[in-house]
Structures are given as C-alpha cells and as structure tokens.
Amino acid sequence: MRGSTASAEDGDLTERRTSIRRTSESSPESNNEPKRSDYGFHSFRDFTWHQFTGTMSTGSLAVVLFQTPYKFPGLVTAGKVIFIIDLVFFAILCVCTALRFYIHPKLIVKSVYDSHQSHDEPFYLGALGVSTALILQNMSLYGIPACGPWLVKTCEVLFWIYFASVLLAAVLQYQTLFVTRIFDLDSMTPAWLLPIYPLLVTGSMAAIIVQHQPHASASPIWICGVTAQGLGWMVTILMYGMWAIRLLTAEVPAPPMRPSMYVAVGPTAYTVTAIMALGSSASKGLPDPFLGEPPQAAARTLYVVAVVAGTFLWLFAFWFFALTTVLVALHGKQLTPNYTWWSFIFPNAGLTLATIQIGKAYDSSAVNYLCSVMTAALFLGWLFVSASLLNAVRKGRLG
C-alpha cells in the first residue's frame, strides 16, 4: 500500500508539473513580454497622482526662467515654450486620470484614501495642487503682459478658487490620514510633506499675482498669501521633526528612491521665496491705511524683516540640498529611472528662486551669477530627467 500511495503521489505531482508547464507556455510572460508591473504606463490604471510631479517640475522651471536675473535674448521665449509644454503635459495627465477613474471607478476613493501602509498615492494628490498653482503663476508672468486686463481678473478669481480648494483638501486629507491610518515612522518618506505643499507655494503665487492687481483686490490676496504660507510652514516644521527622527533611527531610503529626499528642500526654499517676495510687494499688499499710517511707511520696514528672515532660513534649505546630494552621489550607479527623479527639479527650483530673491535683495552680482548657473543646471537637469523617463517608458523599464 505504501508503494501504491507513493506511486499515486508521484503521478499527481507529475500531472501538476505538466499543468504548470502548459500554463506558463500559454502565458504572455513565456513569450518574453514584460510583466504588467514592468511597464511605466501599461494602462490607464497606471496614471496615478505620482505623474503630476512631472508638471510640478516643468511649471517650476518656467517660473525660474522668467525670474532669473541675467537674461539673454530668447530666454523668456524659452520660458513660454516650457510653459506651453507644461500646459499640454498637465492636460494629458488630467485626461488620462479622468479615463482611469471612468474605467476603474473604485480607484477614485483608493487614490485619495487608503488604509494600507504601503500605499502612498494619497500623499501625491498634493502634486495636482502644486501643478495648478504653478500654472497660475505662469499665467500671470507670461500671459498678462500679452493678454491684458481680462486675464488679471481671471487670475484673481482662480486664486481664490485655488486657495479654498487646497485649504479644504489639506484639512480633509490630513484628517483622513490621522484617523484611518497608523504610520510606522521608520517608513516615513518626504512624500508625507506633499499634502501641505499646495499651501507652501501659495505665498509666492500671491506675491506674483498682486503685481498686476488693483489695490482693492491685491490686498486680500497678499494677506491670504501670508496666512497660507504660515500654515504650510508650521505643518512643515512638525514634519521636519519626524523626518529627522526617521533618519536618525532607521536606514535612509534605498538608492533608487533616494532622489525623493530632495522634497525636503522645497518647503524651506519656497517659504524663503514667499517671505521675501511678499515683503517686496508689501506696499501694494498692505491695506490702506495700515495701523493708521500709509502702507508705504510700513512696507519698507516689513521688507527689511522679510530679507533678514529669508536669509536666516536659506542655508537650512541648502543644507537639505547638500545632504541629499551626498547621499544620492554615494550610490549614483544604483539609480534607475522612476517618478522620484522629478525631485531633482521641483524642490531645487524652489532653492533657485530663493537664491534669486536674496541676490535681488542684496543687489549682489556674485549671487546673481550663481543664480544663472543654478538656472542653467536646472534646465539641463530637466532635459536629462525628461529624456531618461521618456526612454524608460518607451522600453517598459520605468520603476
């Protein structure tokens, strides 16, 4: 009986092996076709909020090209081209995301709320808000001089719609994260900062928009920019503390994901940009009268305070930049193209804008030349990242 049982088991094992072999021969993978997960964009399911980090980077580059201190003929035109590319890129992603939700309606809730620790897409919803803010900034910078008064009013209306939307999103998203998920601090990534990022760029956006607004509408926008930046910065300070603890008590992110550490540069850099830009536009943004005096009387003092505060914070942003650069360079050969590569661009665009504000405030030719070098490096970096990611998508190797 033992021999017959063994024979039967051998027969069953042989049959299972034959069945597995037939299944593998009939599967696409046996024909050397990449797995579904090997594709960057195999279907509309793959168009997640992560992809909007690309429009964040492209839009921020356009802002930098407009504001860089030393311009050569054609630079503004190049900025316009980048802005148009950003608009097209943004529209494509919006259409693909809408189709994703139409085809897979259950993913709507999952993309903004998921209780699984490993699912980080909800954090990247903030990338959509930041991309929108940068489009509004570029509309004001490039569009208003060419289009006239109607776009001035449009920017005002869109600013208030944007502010109300991102403030509501920040409250609801963090409320959802606090209530429904228990996080392991060892797994923290800089992506935890992204839900508050749309408010962190509101101050610099307000400073740009008020330049073209009449005083009656400029003042509320300016005040809103100050308050939004304050909220964004205070939440960031809380996150910075957790990020420091995570780096001290656990391993740094794996080399392929290490570029995401540049995200920590952005909050401080964009806060410096916002503080100094809002300070320089205080004469137009302060109410008239302000504390019983003409706004011009307080604007000069406020700008001095803003310059000192911005200078005080700038080196903190650079420290994060230098730290991340060293950590990335240590394992540069292990980097593979993935969506975190956009972190090479957007946060460092904020550092460039902050440096531009400092060069402007101190009227320093040395700092201004440094800004030109940073702008050139940013542009070349954008070209390299774009080409690398497009090539990875084409070959089905996007991580």
Side-chain angles (χ1 to χ4, degrees), residues 49-64:
W49 302 122
H50 298 81
Q51 272 70 57
F52 284 94
T53 55
T55 50
M56 286 170 59
S57 299
T58 306
S60 63
L61 176 62
V63 174
V64 170

Side-chain angles (χ1 to χ4, degrees), residues 16-30:
R16 286 198 298 270
R17 286 176 176 172
T18 303
S19 177
I20 293 172
R21 187 180 301 113
R22 288 173 179 171
T23 302
S24 64
E25 288 174 354
S26 63
S27 67
E29 295 175 16
S30 64

